Amino acid sequence: MKSATKVRLEERPESERFDAARLHHVDFDFTDSKTGYLTHGIHPYPAKFIPQIPDTLIRELSNEGDTVADVFCGSGTTLVEALILNRNAIGFDANPLACLITKAKTTRFVPDDKSSLLSLAGRAAETADAIANAGKTLFHPSGAFTSSSWRPSEDALTFWFEPRVIEELAEILSWCKVLPSESARTVALVAFSSIIVTVSKQDSDTRYVRRQKDLANGETMARFARALKSSVIAVDEFSEKIRRDLRCEVIRANILEQPVAPYFDLMVCSPPYPNAFSYHLYHMTRMIWLGMDQPKFKREEIGSHRKYSSKGVNGATAQTFQKEMQTVFSWLHVHLKNGGFACFVVGDSTIRGERINNADLIAAAGLAEGFAEIARPTRRLQMTKKAFNPVIGKIKDEKIIILQKGRGKP
């Protein structure tokens, strides 16, 4: 497909140039909008923003051929939307699981990926039937299913998983790891990750308590088969839709350490809310199975409830968050084009009983690094869509704060 001619913002007709007032007239609530299209739904990820938000901001604040970044890319929503809109994409996250999910969601299949993954899904479904029927007929000998494949050695494994589930997960993981291409392995591993909490004793992605689930023999295999088949359909559709010449890069990096990175034209993100969620905790079992350094991410996670609930002298405060955001803006000032926009979708937090206006903190941090606030529209949340730590309750709205980089720091 022939690339579209790149048109700079300043070259647009006067009527099409950025107008802050126009964004205030957008209905950012997007009530009843479909959010799971293409690859957006292939892996659960708590507290992610809906794709209509980055879609709107990317359309308004960039041009085809530009590069759109997300410095807290999470499950890759901004990157997927950038590619759909014929922009290049780059994402950063300290969470290695987030990076893996984002890579899967932005994958474009190479030849034979689809067939090898569907073959694996079929193998898992057949094995699930064999395990479920073991001992019931002469053709299915008795005895529990065991795998000779690697599994993590952490004590947490036996605390969170039934022995028969561990055996099935170990076998599935071994199959995923030997797939012939990196793209196929990535999609398979994300399908594997997507079922881990549901087959564990962890209540859900947002409740870190144990409960008995009484999974049937073979159910783990069956769930993987369904998840993988669904993922293949989504990634295949995405692959057909997205131009091959578009670039997408996912970088596992702590943005506070100011990593080396390419320049970009627009940044759209939903930063970690202080005291709202602990991804290192709720993703722990997934990270253990995937061999990821969960303790390292635990130390790096910016907004975790653990970090902000600490009552010691080293406990994080609202000023901690503002200082971290100022570090982010310092890095953005180097990597974002002059006149480019940085967009943050953020709600309030409660820290030690005090309501914190995170949008104000972000605006102040940006101002200190040469960014001017251009617009701050509000959106009402659908209360079934975005839950955080139950101790601090649910937020009812979010601010979409849009800042523009000046040509020099004050």
Side-chain angles (χ1 to χ4, degrees), residues 337-375:
K337 71 169 186 179
N338 285 335
F341 298 94
C343 308
F344 296 79
V345 182
V346 66
D348 293 344
S349 294
T350 301
I351 302 176
R352 297 182 180 88
E354 180 184 355
R355 197 72 170 175
I356 304 300
N357 188 320
N358 291 316
D360 282 350
L361 297 179
I362 289 172
L367 179 63
E369 295 297 327
F371 286 75
E373 182 176 341
I374 301 300

Side-chain angles (χ1 to χ4, degrees), residues 12 103 110 138 156 168 199-200 236 245:
R12 287 180 175 181
K103 287 179 181 178
V110 299
L138 292 175
E168 293 182 43
V199 301
S200 74
D236 187 49
D245 63 311

Side-chain angles (χ1 to χ4, degrees), residues 18-26 374-375:
F18 170 69
D19 180 0
R22 196 157 61 223
L23 283 176
H24 281 287
H25 294 296
V26 174
I374 301 300

Side-chain angles (χ1 to χ4, degrees), residues 151-163 166 169 201 284-285 288-289:
R151 73 285 313 276
S153 59
E154 281 86 347
D155 292 338
L157 215 61
T158 55
F159 182 81
W160 289 109
F161 297 91
E162 295 287 355
I166 293 174
L169 287 173
K201 296 177 184 178
M284 181 187 68
T285 52
I288 288 174
W289 271 104

Side-chain angles (χ1 to χ4, degrees), residues 85-356:
L85 294 172
N86 295 327
R87 276 72 165 169
N88 301 297
I90 182 169
F92 306 82
D93 209 293
N95 183 349
L97 179 62
C99 292
L100 182 68
I101 296 169
T102 298
K103 287 179 181 178
K105 289 174 67 172
T106 56
T107 287
R108 283 156 282 183
F109 278 152
V110 299
D112 299 326
D113 276 354
K114 183 178 178 180
S115 59
S116 65
L117 288 169
L118 289 177
S119 176
L120 176 56
R123 180 182 183 183
E126 291 174 2
T127 306
D129 288 341
I131 294 171
N133 293 315
K136 294 181 180 179
T137 71
L138 292 175
F139 301 101
H140 295 92
S142 61
F145 174 80
T146 58
S147 172
S148 60
S149 300
W150 175 90
R151 73 285 313 276
S153 59
E154 281 86 347
D155 292 338
L157 215 61
T158 55
F159 182 81
W160 289 109
F161 297 91
E162 295 287 355
R164 64 179 179 274
V165 172
I166 293 174
E167 298 302 321
E168 293 182 43
L169 287 173
E171 190 71 4
I172 294 167
L173 182 59
S174 70
W175 297 344
C176 295
K177 287 182 173 180
V178 297
L179 285 164
S181 71
E182 181 182 359
S183 49
R185 289 192 297 274
T186 298
V187 173
L189 287 171
V190 167
F192 172 77
S193 174
S194 74
I195 70 164
I196 287 176
V197 170
T198 66
V199 301
S200 74
K201 296 177 184 178
Q202 183 176 323
D203 184 75
S204 70
D205 277 292
T206 56
R207 294 197 72 232
Y208 192 68
V209 294
R210 288 208 313 168
R211 68 176 174 89
Q212 199 66 32
K213 297 182 181 177
D214 298 321
L215 297 176
N217 291 335
E219 180 62 22
T220 299
M221 284 275 181
R223 291 191 183 201
F224 171 73
R226 293 193 294 270
L228 181 57
K229 186 176 180 180
S230 177
S231 295
V232 170
I233 293 171
V235 175
D236 187 49
E237 184 182 359
F238 182 81
S239 300
E240 292 294 322
K241 184 177 181 66
I242 305 303
R243 285 182 4 206
R244 287 283 171 177
D245 63 311
L246 294 172
R247 302 183 307 278
C248 182
E249 186 175 4
V250 182
I251 299 174
R252 193 282 185 205
N254 178 2
I255 207 69
L256 296 181
E257 295 178 355
Q258 303 203 331
V260 175
Y263 297 107
F264 43 85
D265 302 281
L266 171 68
M267 199 289 297
V268 179
C269 76
S270 179
Y273 294 24
N275 200 31
F277 204 82
S278 294
Y279 286 97
H280 74 271
L281 188 65
Y282 296 102
H283 284 165
M284 181 187 68
T285 52
R286 290 183 171 117
M287 297 179 79
I288 288 174
W289 271 104
L290 293 167
M292 296 171 173
D293 192 343
Q294 191 261 357
K296 182 176 187 293
F297 173 55
K298 179 180 178 179
R299 295 190 299 271
E300 294 177 340
E301 187 176 358
I302 288 179
S304 73
H305 175 63
R306 177 192 68 86
K307 177 177 174 179
Y308 279 87
S309 61
S310 174
K311 296 180 180 179
V313 293
N314 294 322
T317 65
Q319 288 67 42
T320 304
F321 180 68
Q322 182 174 336
K323 183 178 179 180
E324 289 172 338
M325 288 300 102
Q326 189 167 337
T327 300
V328 172
F329 276 108
S330 173
W331 182 87
L332 283 172
H333 202 281
V334 174
H335 294 88
L336 179 64
K337 71 169 186 179
N338 285 335
F341 298 94
C343 308
F344 296 79
V345 182
V346 66
D348 293 344
S349 294
T350 301
I351 302 176
R352 297 182 180 88
E354 180 184 355
R355 197 72 170 175
I356 304 300

